[in-house]
């Protein structure tokens, strides 16, 4: 299948095909596609984006943490081993995380570990909207947030990632 597909084609996808196409717009969260599929037909791509955002908004705080925990570390072990999802690999490359200096790699890895130790989940930022310097700055600045603030901020970043992934997959007719 060539992407982006039309909104009509997205509305017409068979059940499991919709889940295959949209199952990673929220990282490794096929349940989002299962739930959003029930809201078809959509009349615009914005409605699709809003439906996935609504899915996230409807989760409890604990469920949001589970969704956040599914995301990989930025420039972490999975990236080094080539085990990121196709979408995450592309996003991290766009941000320049595949071309870090040894100093930047050490700084990001140390800050990732410190962040995860405090919050219990990886640092989430929309890599496609950032570059290495802003990612490092965000890691350091957001460490001072409360858990509730970080759940809210990470969920907002996931919505940005989700929207961009949807725009890669579907376009208005």
């Amino acid at each position: 299948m060539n992407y982006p597909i039309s909104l009509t084609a997205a509305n017409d996808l068979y059940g499991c095909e919709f889940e295959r196409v949209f199952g990673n717009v929220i990282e490794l969260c096929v349940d989002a596609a299962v739930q959003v599929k029930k809201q078809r037909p959509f009349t615009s791509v914005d409605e699709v984006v809003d439906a996935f955002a609504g899915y996230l908004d409807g989760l409890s705080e604990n469920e949001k943490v589970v969704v956040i925990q599914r995301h990989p570390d930025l420039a972490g072990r999975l990236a080094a081993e080539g085990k990121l999802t196709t979408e995450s690999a592309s996003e991290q490359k766009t941000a320049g995380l595949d071309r870090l200096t040894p100093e930047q790699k050490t700084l990001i890895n140390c800050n990732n570990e410190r962040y995860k130790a405090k919050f219990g989940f990886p640092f989430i930022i929309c890599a496609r909207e950032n570059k290495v310097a802003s990612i490092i700055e965000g890691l350091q600045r957001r460490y001072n947030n409360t858990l509730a603030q970080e759940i809210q901020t990470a969920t907002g970043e996931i919505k940005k990632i989700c929207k961009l992934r949807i725009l890669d997959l579907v376009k208005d007719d």
Side-chain angles (χ1 to χ4, degrees), residues 7-133:
L7 183 63
T8 298
N11 280 324
D12 290 343
L13 290 172
Y14 287 96
C16 60
E17 190 65 11
F18 185 90
E19 292 153 16
R20 186 190 65 74
V21 171
F22 291 94
N24 203 47
V25 296
I26 298 174
E27 188 81 6
L28 303 174
C29 187
V30 176
D31 184 61
V34 169
Q35 299 308 315
V36 167
K37 171 181 70 175
K38 297 173 185 176
Q39 299 176 43
R40 292 185 296 173
F42 297 105
T43 60
S44 70
V45 174
D46 286 341
E47 268 189 29
V48 178
V49 171
D50 290 345
F52 278 95
Y55 170 86
L56 286 167
D57 290 339
L59 297 176
S60 70
E61 191 168 273
N62 288 341
E63 291 168 327
K64 288 177 184 175
V65 168
V66 170
V67 169
I68 296 166
Q69 289 171 332
R70 291 184 179 133
H71 285 74
D73 287 341
L74 295 172
R77 179 184 52 80
L78 292 177
E81 295 174 358
K83 294 182 179 177
L84 293 173
T85 63
T86 302
E87 297 87 350
S88 285
S90 174
E91 292 157 357
Q92 290 198 24
K93 184 176 183 178
T94 298
L97 294 172
D98 62 329
R99 300 177 303 278
L100 297 174
T101 65
E103 295 79 17
Q104 290 170 324
K105 178 96 172 123
T106 298
L107 186 59
I108 287 177
N109 286 338
C110 288
N111 279 294
N112 273 337
E113 291 308 313
R114 181 176 84 129
Y115 180 95
K116 278 196 311 192
K118 179 176 179 179
F119 295 111
F121 49 77
F123 175 77
I124 308 294
I125 192 167
C126 183
R128 285 166 72 174
E129 293 182 353
N130 289 276
K131 295 296 180 200
V132 173

Side-chain angles (χ1 to χ4, degrees), residues 110-166:
C110 288
N111 279 294
N112 273 337
E113 291 308 313
R114 181 176 84 129
Y115 180 95
K116 278 196 311 192
K118 179 176 179 179
F119 295 111
F121 49 77
F123 175 77
I124 308 294
I125 192 167
C126 183
R128 285 166 72 174
E129 293 182 353
N130 289 276
K131 295 296 180 200
V132 173
S134 60
I135 290 169
I136 292 170
E137 186 275 329
L139 257 167
Q140 293 168 336
R141 178 180 39 81
R142 285 175 41 196
Y143 179 79
N144 297 315
N145 285 350
T146 65
L147 178 59
Q149 288 171 318
E150 268 314 285
I151 291 170
Q152 181 179 5
T153 301
T155 302
E157 293 297 312
I158 291 170
K159 288 178 184 179
K160 292 177 190 178
I161 295 164
C162 178
K163 179 179 181 176
L164 292 171
R165 288 181 179 187
I166 291 168

